[in-house]
Every structure is written in structure tokens, then in C-alpha cells.
Amino acid sequence: MKVRAYAAYEAGAGLRPYEYEAGPLGPDEVDVRVTHCGICHTDVGAIDNEWDYFSYPLVAGHEVVGVVEAVGEAVDQELLPIGRRVGVGAIAGSCFRCEWCLSGRQNLCPRKDDLVLRGVRGGFAHHVRAGDWRHVQPIPDAIPSAQAAPLLCAGATVFAPLLTHRVRPVDRVAVVGIGGLGHLAVQFLAKWGCEVTAISTASDKEADARRFGATGFIATREEGALRAAANSFDFVLSTVSADLPWDDYLTTLRPGGKLCVVGVPTGPIAVGPLGLLPGAKAVSGAIPGSPAQTRQMFDFAARHGIGAQAEVFPVARADEALDRVRRGQARYRAVLEF
């Protein structure tokens, strides 16, 4: 199958038409005709080669919603019939043989099919191929496609830690950053039953944060605002792609509390031992969840009316959409429509 896509031909360049041959369909693979694809900060980072990793031409995109167009011979067609609306996220396949896969943690598989790192086979295209059908997610009817697309990365990334770290409805939780990930995290946690405080440098986001379900708001540019929150939270979820005063955030945790980092800082996460050890606190990272966790996320979102607040752009305006994400102006996710 020949795939029509949109690629950056060099770092930082605008998108141009690009075609490639996908080759024969493997037994576990699924071809999806793309209708919508979210734009994540990671896509912009890949196009701009922020991490000096990528080669070009590059087709980004890892928050794909579309319909099943073809399946391999080993695919469960009761779950994924032709024409079904589905999602393909950041992790599109895994080996299903290693200890991580066999224990239900396919997102940690060393041989996972990472759509972000594929190079030329991302979701800014009219078709995308998932490496394994077990990573392809049926989309609940209750969630519109433009709202569902960002859930495949942003949603799966902020929801999985609630399960992994056993966040409880009685917990007091803070979300750092009210952006693409943070606005979803606040919604999930509020419906989870937690008391949620939004933390942001932008005080003008308070009204939106409260609309998403936050009951408290901390504007960190106000002198002493973060120090005043000492010993307040059981769980802090950092969704920002920035360096933070990590020790100050440890101080906001109650004894036994956890700081979970899902945004990608630009520098080291350095914490002092006296902020970490006496209160038996923890710092952890997270990535998008396993297929089972992602399916639970979609079920929870559909049940509680949770979706991304998205600005939708036709693919012809992809460069404009990318630039809004690059400048931090999207409210709160940008989605391409094919």
C-alpha cells in the first residue's frame, strides 16, 4: 500500500507531501485510515530535532483516530472489524514475549513499536499501520474523534499513574501545568474523587482549571505561593516540559507522598536528600499506559464525559497548528483533521 503523508524534510521545516510504500501487511498488523491526529509537544520536538535524535524526512504524529481498513490474518476481527473506529497511540505494538509484556506491562517492552520514534511512519498521514492489533483501541461512541485523539497520548500518560500509584479518591492531589496533559489530568482526578489543586505560572488559567474540576489553584509567580502549600498533597503530577524547583515541590508533599513526572524537563531532576528521605517520599516517571490501562482510560472518559478541549485544523493548515503548539498557544490541544 502506498501511503500519502506529510513530512518535515529537515529539522524545523514546514510539512510537505510525502509518499512511501508500506509493504505487505503482517499477520498481527492493522491498517487504519486516519480521520484525526493530535499534535503533541513531542511531535514538535521531533520535527525540530530538539533531542538530536531524528533523521529526515520525518512523518510525526502519534495520536491517531481513524477506521480499520485492513487487518492481518492473526487479528481478532470480532474486536477490530473492517470499518470500526479505533485509535493508535504512541505505542503501536510490542513483542508479547518478554517479562514486561507477559506481566501486562507492554508499554515497557524493550522492543515496543514506538510511533514517536518510527521516523517516516507516523500519523500525519492518510493511513497508518499499527504493529500489533492488541495495541489498537476501539473508541467509545460517546467520545467525538477530535476529543478522543489526544487521549491516546496525553490522556493515556496522565491516567496510567493513577492506577500504577494507586491514587485514592480521598487523596489530595496537585497537577502542575494546565496545558495539553494537565487539563486532562485535572478532569480525570476530579472525577476520580480527589481534591484537586491546579498549579500554574499563568494565573489567567484559573477559571479554566476550575471548570475542568480543580477546587484549588496556585499561581507560582506569586511570592511564597508554593511554600504556603507545604505538606498539602499526597500526589503531585508534573505535566510541564520545563525545569522546576524540584525540592520546593517535594516540600508540598505529605509524608509518603509521590511526585510523578510525565512532562519532559530540559535538564536533570535534582532533589536534595533531606527533602526526600525523612518523609519517605518518592519521585517517579511515567509514559503512556499499557493497552489494558488505555482501554480503562477510554471507558472512564466515556462514563464521565471527559475529552480533550481541542482546536481542530484541516491538514492543509498543519504548519499553523504546529506553530500554535510550538508557541504554547493551543487551548488545550491541536488536532489535525484529514
Side-chain angles (χ1 to χ4, degrees):
M1 177 182 70
K2 183 162 287 189
V3 176
R4 291 184 298 130
Y6 302 88
Y9 281 71
E10 60 184 14
L15 302 188
R16 292 161 46 196
Y18 176 79
E19 289 189 352
Y20 67 91
E21 179 58 52
L25 190 65
D28 290 310
E29 293 181 333
V30 179
D31 279 337
V32 175
R33 178 173 57 81
V34 180
T35 64
H36 296 80
C37 187
I39 299 176
C40 182
H41 177 78
T42 308
D43 294 317
V44 176
I47 289 170
D48 294 347
N49 205 17
E50 286 184 11
W51 307 288
D52 195 28
Y53 173 87
F54 297 94
S55 57
Y56 300 85
L58 179 139
V59 180
H62 58 276
E63 297 178 337
V64 177
V65 171
V67 296
V68 175
E69 194 158 272
V71 299
E73 60 185 18
V75 175
D76 184 342
Q77 295 190 48
E78 289 187 12
L79 180 67
L80 297 177
I82 303 299
R84 177 145 197 181
R85 188 173 64 130
V86 296
V88 181
I91 301 169
S94 59
C95 76
F96 284 92
R97 295 187 299 275
C98 69
E99 62 178 295
W100 313 107
C101 287
L102 294 176
S103 60
R105 295 172 288 175
Q106 296 90 350
N107 54 326
L108 301 181
C109 176
R111 293 185 290 276
K112 64 189 175 188
D113 179 8
D114 196 324
L115 209 61
V116 178
L117 304 180
R118 279 184 173 194
V120 300
R121 297 187 293 137
F124 292 175
H126 291 273
H127 289 82
V128 72
R129 177 168 292 175
D132 193 292
W133 63 272
R134 287 162 288 192
H135 285 265
V136 178
Q137 299 288 340
I139 305 295
D141 292 340
I143 308 177
S145 294
Q147 295 181 23
L151 295 179
L152 287 152
C153 177
T157 299
V158 300
F159 186 84
L162 311 190
L163 302 173
T164 303
H165 296 293
R166 297 175 180 165
V167 175
R168 305 167 301 169
V170 296
D171 284 343
R172 286 175 282 182
V173 177
V175 176
V176 185
I178 309 304
L181 278 73
H183 90 289
L184 288 168
V186 171
Q187 293 180 69
F188 283 130
L189 286 159
K191 295 298 185 182
W192 202 260
C194 298
E195 178 184 295
V196 186
T197 297
I199 301 178
S200 177
T201 58
S203 56
D204 62 350
K205 289 188 176 180
E206 180 172 1
D208 278 351
R210 293 187 183 277
R211 176 167 57 86
F212 296 135
T215 56
F217 187 86
I218 297 174
T220 56
R221 285 182 178 158
E222 295 179 4
E223 182 66 29
L226 203 56
R227 290 194 298 273
N231 199 41
S232 294
F233 307 118
D234 301 290
F235 188 73
V236 173
L237 185 68
S238 174
T239 70
V240 296
S241 297
D243 296 324
L244 296 176
W246 300 108
D247 280 322
D248 291 347
Y249 280 94
L250 281 182
T251 301
T252 69
L253 290 171
R254 303 172 71 206
K258 296 177 181 177
L259 168 62
C260 183
V261 180
V262 295
V264 182
T266 56
I269 300 174
V271 298
L274 295 183
L276 185 69
L277 303 181
K281 300 172 184 179
V283 179
S284 71
I287 59 173
S290 68
Q293 290 173 329
T294 303
R295 192 154 303 173
Q296 288 174 313
M297 180 268 298
F298 272 116
D299 288 344
F300 188 84
R303 190 183 318 151
H304 293 286
I306 296 171
Q309 180 172 312
E311 299 177 359
V312 181
F313 297 80
V315 69
R317 294 171 56 198
D319 287 337
E320 177 187 345
L322 284 163
D323 199 50
R324 281 188 65 78
V325 175
R326 187 178 283 114
R327 295 172 182 271
Q329 296 174 339
R331 291 293 182 271
Y332 279 89
R333 295 293 279 194
V335 174
L336 298 180
E337 185 173 51
F338 291 78

